[in-house]
Amino acid sequence: MDEESRNGGPDSRQFDVSGAKINILSDEYDPTVSLISSNEKWVEDDEVPRKEVGTSSFWQATSNTVALLLGTGMLALPYAVMLGGWSSLALLAFFAIMFCYTGCLLGSCMKENPLLTTYQEIAGSALGLRGRILFTIFFYVEVLANRVGFLISVGDNLARIFPGVESHIPAWIHLSPSMTLASLAMLLISPTALIRDLSNIAYLSFGGIVTSLVVVGAVAWTGTTVVGFNQPIPFANFGKWRFILGLYSYCYAGHPVVPNIHSSMREPSKFPVMLMLSFTIATTTYAGIGLMGASMFGKETLSQITLNIPRDLMAATIVLWTTVLTPLTKFPLAVAPIATELESFLPFDSHSTAHYVFGNIIRLGILGLILAVTITFPYFGSTLNFIGSSITIITCIILPCVFDLVLHWRTIPKLQLMVDIVFLTAATCFAIVGTFSSGGV
């Protein structure tokens, strides 16, 4: 890796996921705009480059990982529990085990080869340039697909906040109130996508864990003081499990950032324990809100638990606005990497006015694409199920298992080999079944 690439030179491409800023071409992790505290430096030792240990403590890394895991998928957990029965939480736990295990596999790859510091480097080491390109494609598709899920959530919650908007929509607009409001929200935030210096909006990435706590607290308070937890939850509805595979897997998306968390740790040897603790906390939170929401509203549970909270409660207002504002702040960070890549193909000097103008058109076009897909597929549960069943399972389970098998085929212990094959097979089946069933949620 040359010096210019390490420092995020002019030829680098950067993107941000849950606050972690990663460099596609330079493989750089920039801690200045991340939740991860890492002041990593490159040093020379007998002409062999290596990275010094990061500065994040065990608890800082745990906090960052929990913040990465807890996200929009949490809103659909009560609906998934209601649909599949409370025994389907065993499926959630199985996904947690698989995702935690494959996260540890990524850490193992980095431990054996300290020069591997990002997911794309691991992909390149295992599968070559094609693997690196494959990961990048999957990653960008996942980023855009997640924003579609965010925008659907924004529109649905705004429609809940402004219930009278339907009567004010002109007859010539053939959109539902939620999609009309989502379109207006996208229009309002579109100027932020034109910002080139992401450090100016980096602080927007710190609200994820707060949002999660607010939602959990509001659901618990509503159930305890207003609604109660009296609705029966079926033990199992196995016929519906295929419809919730993607919802459960979506909750644990984030593996592309996991290697950066590993690199940031002061004591990387504690990475597996940190990861297990983080997944335990996230899974406990998911199971808790899933059981609470399903037992509060039973068969009336909606695909987003925020829509079930009685509208006249202050808790509903707080949760709805929190759920609306947080996803919107992440759109400019999601658009930047893809726009930067596309701008590199423009036949203009990077400092010219033409490059700037057409670059803005590209950025607005990406937002338009997200909005078009959202309007075409406006169903929150189905969208999250599709993303989780296809892209998330491939990126977070299938590919890490493939990396481990390719890189360590000759030295891998038999037990680990069996686990890799079992998880790879199970994940492939889940991806196929979940993807084809996603429209039924």
Side-chain angles (χ1 to χ4, degrees), residues 226-398:
V226 181
V227 179
F229 305 101
N230 305 315
Q231 296 297 320
I233 304 175
F235 168 74
N237 190 353
F238 296 116
K240 298 291 186 180
W241 279 28
R242 61 192 177 97
F243 297 118
I244 61 176
L245 291 171
L247 296 178
Y248 282 160
S249 62
Y250 183 89
C251 294
Y252 297 111
H255 274 41
V257 184
V258 166
N260 300 93
I261 296 177
H262 180 282
S263 298
S264 77
M265 293 187 68
R266 187 184 306 142
E267 300 177 276
S269 61
K270 295 183 178 180
F271 175 77
V273 177
M274 182 279 298
L275 210 57
M276 286 187 282
L277 177 60
S278 300
F279 271 85
T280 300
I281 294 173
T283 303
T284 302
T285 303
Y286 286 145
I289 192 170
L291 288 172
M292 283 193 298
S295 63
M296 286 166 59
F297 303 106
K299 294 182 180 180
E300 302 300 321
T301 305
L302 300 175
S303 61
Q304 298 180 68
I305 189 60
T306 52
L307 303 180
N308 277 112
I309 300 177
R311 195 169 56 203
D312 57 340
L313 297 180
M314 179 60 68
T317 302
I318 295 173
V319 169
L320 289 171
W321 275 113
T322 303
T323 308
V324 165
L325 295 177
T326 301
L328 290 178
T329 62
K330 298 182 179 182
F331 271 86
L333 296 173
V335 169
I338 305 172
T340 303
E341 288 288 334
L342 294 177
E343 287 172 3
S344 67
F345 295 102
L346 291 175
F348 309 109
D349 181 82
S350 60
H351 300 290
S352 66
T353 302
H355 187 277
Y356 180 78
V357 171
F358 281 96
N360 286 345
I361 293 175
I362 289 174
R363 291 166 184 265
L364 294 177
I366 293 173
L367 291 183
L369 175 62
I370 294 173
L371 179 60
V373 175
T374 301
I375 293 174
T376 305
F377 305 99
Y379 302 106
F380 184 77
S382 298
T383 301
L384 261 60
N385 194 19
F386 175 79
I387 297 170
S389 297
S390 54
I391 306 169
T392 299
I393 288 181
I394 291 174
T395 305
C396 299
I397 301 180
I398 293 177

Side-chain angles (χ1 to χ4, degrees), residues 216-228:
V216 173
V219 172
W221 181 86
T222 302
T224 303
T225 62
V226 181
V227 179

Side-chain angles (χ1 to χ4, degrees), residues 28-46:
E28 176 85 348
Y29 167 67
D30 185 352
T32 61
V33 294
S34 173
L35 291 171
I36 305 170
S37 173
S38 173
N39 297 320
E40 298 162 342
K41 300 178 181 178
W42 283 86
V43 297
E44 301 293 331
D45 184 7
D46 297 329

